[in-house]
Amino acid sequence: MHGNTFIHDMALIMLVAGMVTLLFNRFKQPVVLGYLVAGIIIGPHLTPTLIQDKGIINTLGELGVVFLMFSLGLEFSLKKIAKVGAAAFIAAICETSLMIFIGYNLGHRFGWSEMDCLFLGAMLAISSTTIIVKALGELKLKQHKFAQMIFGMLIVEDILAIGIIAILSGISTTGTISSDNIVSTLGQLSLFIIVTMVLGLMTIPRLLAYIAKFKSNEMMLISVLGLCFGICLMVLALNYSIALGAFMIGAIIAEARPLHLIETLVEPLRDMFCAIFFVTIGMMFDPTILVNHYLPILIISLVLIGGKVVGCSIGTFVSGQNGKTSLKVGMSMAQIGEFSFIIAALGASSKVTSSILYPIAIAVSALTTLTTPYLIKLSNPLASLIGQRCPKFLSKLAHYYTNWVADLHPQGDSALIVKIIGKITAQIIVNCALVAAVFIASVFVASHLDLVFIQYYGAIVHEQLHKSLICGVSLLISLPFLIAAYRKLKAFSMILAEVLIRDNLLKQQTYNARRVIFETLPLLAIASIMSLIFSISSPILPRTELLWGIIGATTVIAILFRNQFIRLQSWLQIELFNVMETNTDEKL
């Protein structure tokens, strides 16, 4: 019977995984590596008859991806992005860019296909959050300065990994690499993330806070799982990876008041399905790969360790950290893990990469996972040794550079101006993204309405009137966000005018020159933004004369009801900030 087969396979996976991980824990090795070994033991390459229904097990492994990414999202907070600062962004971007470049070129050295090279570079770019956090915890180093830098870089890497997966998903669909496709994918992804995060933060934390009032763990767990899989279904409908959906809903729920309760309820499910996920990865590993491709595996492992140590160390040093801290960061991040498995699985499932890439990724991850604790332990004495042997002029030069970068950080009024500009820029981007989302949604709705008209009437009745109504309603809905974007652009222009035009430059004409900037720049910016939005929503635009009439009428409405629109947008903004400011710190 089908049910008996499922129970047989689940029992086998859990029993073998439990025994192997118990052994690995006894010898203080990463539990993730134990899951991989368990998968190899019961996999079809060693014992072909043990697992009877591989389809169900692979489906459970996909659930493992959902829970793994959801858990990473729960640990991700928008507050953390602000706290990691520019240093973590600079270091992470330097390191990931270098590893993609190294992996891509290394694949060409092996004579691999273009897709294999691209996926290899992506796999080598992202370090394993799970393995690093566990290793630092076991060594009791989490509170050290270099560990805090590592956590910041891991947050940035997680964001970059989501973007990489989205780009590779698009490339896997088309089978070609195109700069236009990459730019388009990044633009659509950014818009999707911003709009989903804003709408999610406005609704989901409040919903979960309401559910928490019933004090029912069952109700809370089912509701959270429903939200998780609902978002995953939505991203699949939009041709994105379920990893993106699971991570995003986790990041949204991370801002909810009952976060601690949710983490406690989800933890057992996460542990079980993540174990199955890593076991299924091990099951796909063919041990003969180690024999037939031992040289590429060894070379990739050595290049990964060397590249990560050098790339992370240089990136951290460039961001302003001292040499000792930089080396410790580099030697702690020299491995790959969960994101690399997802990237390798994406290439294998879409059949754009060769069959050897997936098992090579598993082998490289296993080797580098084993070396991680030893590299972390070695980092301190190695840093001390290099510090002693390093020529004095290089030490002084490094010290001067670190101090110079520290001096570059804005202080006092300059720091306040930078902070204000950053906040205004973020608000402009969010408001413009919401306007774009309104028009894209209108195009989607209009296309379905067109099908209804054609089905019932054989043609679209009064096509121009139909388009005018949809375009007008879209502009009307967008008005609060357009007005907010205009006001923020005007504030930005005022600051820019103050910085660019000094009082002693034009003397009596200073104010007039500044006014030209802060009156003209916002209008030009809004016109440019709307031109771009109109270009991507052309199916709902009526004839030019009708469009100008709609714009004129909307402008009159905006002027007449300006205060009401401002109050509405301000209320939405305050509510969003309240969620982000209060919910994360509260626990049930």
Side-chain angles (χ1 to χ4, degrees), residues 85-95 149 153 156 314-316 318-320 405:
F89 276 93
I90 293 170
I93 290 171
C94 288
E95 173 254 329
M149 182 68 183
M153 290 177 65
V156 180
I314 291 175
T316 306
V318 167
S319 70
V405 173

Side-chain angles (χ1 to χ4, degrees), residues 99-124 177 352-353 357:
M99 292 311 300
I100 290 173
F101 175 79
I102 289 174
Y104 181 78
N105 285 279
L106 184 61
H108 278 297
R109 292 285 184 179
F110 293 142
W112 291 356
S113 68
E114 194 75 7
M115 283 296 177
D116 283 349
C117 296
L118 184 62
F119 273 78
L120 177 63
M123 284 159 38
L124 300 187
I177 303 171
V352 296
T353 58
L357 193 62

